[in-house]
Amino acid sequence: SKGAARVANKLGGINKVLDVGQYFGEEYLIGNTPCNASVVMEGVGELKFLSHEHFKKYLQEPIIRHIEEAVLNSADKAYRVVDVRMAVEYKSCHIPGSINIPLSKLREKINNLAPEAMYVVPSDAGNRADIAVHLMCQAGLDAVVLRQPA
């Protein structure tokens, strides 16, 4: 592939240039969320498309792991619980000792997370938990979704 593209969200918050080999749209595919950004080529280039089915099979399912609380408690690795819900949701109810990093802030704070820890994202965040774990794994972190009883 060749070329570069600029990503801009509709609120003006994201303004990033994607180089050859980089991709976009994973949050939309994982979370089935509305598209909130525009991507414009910055010149001549090639764009490759991956269907939702193939994305899920090859890039989502192998990366996003789920773990039960009993298995987590027997893990030999230190872990931190990261709640990615909005602050108001976190204040009303959260796992004691967890830290709150709303999904909308995760990209800018991800470099502050320690690479040696395992990060556990409670499933009560819904699709946001899957998106957060995907973003953390993409950044080279060990992250899992904590399955919680309904």
Side-chain angles (χ1 to χ4, degrees):
S1 294
K2 58 184 176 181
R6 179 169 300 280
V7 180
N9 78 357
K10 294 176 181 169
L11 301 175
I14 299 173
N15 191 10
K16 179 180 176 183
V17 174
L18 299 174
D19 292 319
V20 173
Q22 291 185 302
Y23 56 91
F24 59 91
E26 69 275 13
E27 287 184 39
Y28 166 77
L29 292 170
I30 294 169
N32 200 21
T33 58
C35 184
N36 65 356
S38 296
V39 179
V40 178
M41 293 299 292
E42 292 205 312
V44 177
E46 292 180 13
L47 182 65
K48 294 184 179 181
F49 172 81
L50 188 62
S51 71
H52 188 213
E53 176 186 327
H54 286 118
F55 177 86
K56 186 173 183 173
K57 181 177 180 179
Y58 297 115
L59 296 175
Q60 181 179 346
E61 290 173 356
I63 293 173
I64 300 175
R65 297 176 296 137
H66 292 81
I67 192 168
E68 305 289 336
E69 192 168 354
V71 175
L72 179 63
N73 290 334
S74 66
D76 58 355
K77 189 172 186 180
Y79 66 88
R80 294 290 317 256
V81 178
V82 178
D83 193 316
V84 296
R85 296 174 302 153
M86 293 183 297
V88 67
E89 293 172 287
Y90 179 78
K91 284 180 187 175
S92 71
C93 150
H94 61 271
I95 295 174
S98 64
I99 58 173
N100 182 225
I101 305 174
L103 183 60
S104 62
K105 304 285 184 195
L106 183 60
R107 284 185 193 272
E108 66 189 57
K109 296 186 180 230
I110 207 161
N111 290 332
N112 297 333
L113 299 176
E116 64 276 359
M118 178 168 73
Y119 293 94
V120 178
V121 181
S123 62
D124 61 358
N127 290 339
R128 292 174 289 179
D130 289 344
I131 294 168
V133 166
H134 184 84
L135 292 173
M136 287 187 223
C137 289
Q138 190 178 31
L141 300 171
D142 183 10
V144 296
V145 176
L146 175 62
R147 283 196 180 115
Q148 295 176 283

